[in-house]
């Protein structure tokens, strides 16, 4: 007997070539946007109408192939690739999408929008995955700081990075982003049983030994590995170029310490995260009331999200 579980939330990420083709990606921006939107609409038609969908386009992909969580994760820096994570209804867990677009008329972000998005006054908020888009626009970095700084709290894991664009955000019935705007989209995970941990691999992590040392810090969090997902958000300047032509270094290091945790993510244009673990009231590194530096370049952020025990 087959049991089918309908997704409530979907995160899909694909590289630009998958969505638009190599020539359109670099030479025909209008065709690229049109083709991306058409592809996004076609994908969304495959999903339930009430499903929240967040779709991103990035320069490269990190994915664990289908079949088993113990399959070897792959860093795909070139060529077409993509994945979709389908989250069903999970008892005690709420996952929702959000979108903040820079207001071209106002320099100051209205923080009341955080509460509307469930990112403030929410004691069960545990993890926020943030993705900035149009980061090359004037004011984009300042706007990202306005979003990240108020969320920089001990009890919340923040992780993510800068993507090329987003193609879907069906919770707002908005499949297109303003051409002149920059902003932030993301997923928020709330629930008392959620546990999370994140570590930052900085520029000094440049060989197998130091990469594995970072994974040991993540392992030390003792996050349960069953019903857990790994995320890797890396700079386009890392990968095989950073590790002197050795490919898949960081994904391989992750798998060595977490052989049964699937790993997903992307190569992007900037990273969001730091060394931090939230399991109850324990944090890996105390902030001492000083806000963490969460915005980076030429780094990799590794994150674990445990969604609670399965019955």
């Amino acid at each position: 007997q087959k049991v089918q579980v309908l997704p409530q939330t979907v995160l899909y990420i694909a590289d630009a070539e998958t969505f638009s083709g190599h020539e359109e990606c670099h030479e025909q921006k209008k065709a690229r946007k049109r083709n991306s939107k058409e592809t996004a609409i076609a994908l969304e038609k495959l999903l339930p109408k009430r499903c929240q969908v967040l779709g991103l386009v990035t320069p490269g992909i990190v994915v664990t192939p289908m079949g088993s969580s113990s399959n070897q994760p792959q860093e795909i820096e070139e060529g077409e690739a993509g994945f979709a994570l389908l989250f069903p209804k999970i008892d005690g867990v709420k996952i929702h999408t959000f979108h903040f677009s820079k207001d071209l008329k106002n320099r100051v972000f209205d923080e009341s929008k955080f509460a509307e998005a469930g990112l403030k006054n929410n004691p069960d908020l545990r993890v926020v995955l943030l993705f900035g888009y149009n980061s090359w626009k004037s004011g984009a970095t300042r706007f990202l700081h306005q979003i990240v700084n108020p969320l920089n709290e001990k009890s919340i894991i923040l992780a993510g990075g800068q993507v090329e664009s987003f193609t879907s955000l069906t919770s707002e019935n908005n499949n297109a982003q303003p051409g002149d705007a920059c902003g932030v989209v993301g997923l928020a995970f709330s629930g008392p049983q959620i546990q999370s941990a994140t570590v930052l691999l900085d520029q000094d992590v440049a060989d197998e030994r130091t990469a594995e040392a970072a994974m040991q810090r993540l392992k030390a969090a003792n996050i349960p590995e069953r019903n857990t997902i790994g995320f890797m958000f890396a700079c386009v300047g890392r990968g095989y170029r950073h590790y002197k032509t050795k490919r898949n270094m960081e994904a391989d290091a992750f798998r060595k310490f977490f052989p049964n945790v699937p790993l997903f993510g992307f190569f992007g244009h900037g990273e969001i995260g730091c060394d931090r673990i939230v399991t109850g009231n324990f944090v890996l590194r105390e902030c001492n009331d000083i806000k963490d530096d969460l915005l980076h370049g030429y780094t990799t952020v590794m994150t674990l999200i445990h969604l609670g025990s399965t019955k």
Side-chain angles (χ1 to χ4, degrees):
Q1 183 179 359
K2 293 184 178 180
V3 178
Q4 296 181 336
V5 180
L6 293 177
Q8 282 201 333
T9 307
V10 174
L11 169 66
Y12 72 83
I13 303 178
D15 71 280
E17 289 183 34
T18 298
F19 261 80
S20 305
H22 183 75
E23 292 183 359
E24 290 175 346
C25 176
H26 295 287
E27 299 176 15
Q28 302 175 22
K29 289 186 177 180
K30 290 183 179 179
R32 171 185 170 184
K33 287 184 178 179
R34 182 173 64 249
N35 196 30
S36 295
K37 184 175 181 179
E38 291 171 355
T39 304
I41 292 172
L43 285 171
E44 289 162 20
K45 286 182 178 178
L46 301 175
L47 300 167
K49 288 185 177 180
R50 295 184 180 180
C51 185
Q52 295 186 102
V53 183
L54 175 57
L56 306 173
V57 176
T58 63
I61 296 295
V62 179
V63 62
T64 300
M66 290 190 303
S68 171
S69 61
S70 61
N71 284 346
Q72 181 177 355
Q74 302 290 324
E75 299 176 19
I76 305 175
E77 300 178 63
E78 299 166 349
E80 296 185 9
F83 66 84
L85 294 178
L86 283 66
F87 296 95
K89 181 178 180 180
I90 304 171
D91 288 341
V93 174
K94 181 179 180 181
I95 305 172
H96 67 269
T97 60
F98 59 86
H99 177 208
F100 302 125
S101 181
K102 184 176 183 295
D103 188 337
L104 299 177
K105 297 179 182 179
N106 298 316
R107 287 177 56 84
V108 179
F109 179 73
D110 181 3
E111 292 193 10
S112 67
K113 294 181 180 179
F114 285 125
E116 294 174 11
L119 301 178
K120 281 290 183 182
N121 305 319
N122 179 2
D124 288 333
L125 182 63
R126 295 291 183 268
V127 183
V128 180
L129 300 182
L130 293 164
F131 310 109
Y133 63 88
N134 283 353
S135 59
W136 51 274
K137 288 284 186 180
S138 175
T141 300
R142 183 176 181 274
F143 182 74
L144 183 58
H145 275 286
Q146 291 180 328
I147 301 301
V148 168
N149 290 345
L151 300 176
N152 191 356
E153 300 178 2
K154 287 184 182 182
S155 60
I156 303 172
I157 292 287
L158 295 182
Q162 299 274 17
V163 302
E164 291 202 357
S165 61
F166 79 88
T167 57
S168 300
L169 197 66
T170 54
S171 64
E172 296 187 7
N173 296 315
N174 177 17
N175 290 319
Q177 62 201 54
D180 295 329
C182 57
V184 175
V185 294
L187 289 177
F189 295 77
S190 302
Q193 75 264 37
I194 294 175
Q195 297 182 40
S196 187
T198 182
V199 295
L200 178 72
L201 286 67
D202 61 22
Q203 297 182 32
D204 294 334
V205 177
D207 55 34
E208 187 174 8
R209 178 184 61 83
T210 50
E212 290 186 358
M215 301 308 150
Q216 285 181 312
R217 296 204 311 276
L218 195 58
K219 187 78 172 180
N222 291 320
I223 301 294
E225 294 181 22
R226 184 174 175 81
N227 207 22
T228 294
I229 305 170
F231 286 98
M232 172 179 165
F233 305 115
C235 178
V236 290
R238 291 184 73 87
Y240 71 88
R241 299 174 187 85
H242 181 67
Y243 288 102
K244 297 179 174 59
T245 72
K246 187 167 184 179
R247 295 179 180 270
N248 227 63
M249 176 76 79
E250 293 174 345
D252 286 345
F254 178 89
R255 185 171 186 257
K256 180 176 180 178
F257 289 90
F258 303 96
N260 296 306
V261 177
L263 182 67
F264 301 94
F266 59 75
F267 290 88
H269 303 294
E271 301 76 60
I272 302 170
C274 67
D275 273 17
R276 192 182 293 176
I277 290 166
V278 175
T279 54
N281 295 320
F282 171 71
V283 292
L284 175 66
R285 182 172 59 79
E286 289 291 341
C287 304
N288 297 320
D289 296 323
I290 298 175
K291 296 292 187 180
D292 285 302
D293 183 10
L294 292 170
L295 303 183
H296 309 277
Y298 212 59
T299 63
T300 297
V301 175
M302 287 284 190
T303 303
L304 295 174
I305 301 178
H306 172 65
L307 299 173
S309 61
T310 53
K311 296 180 181 179

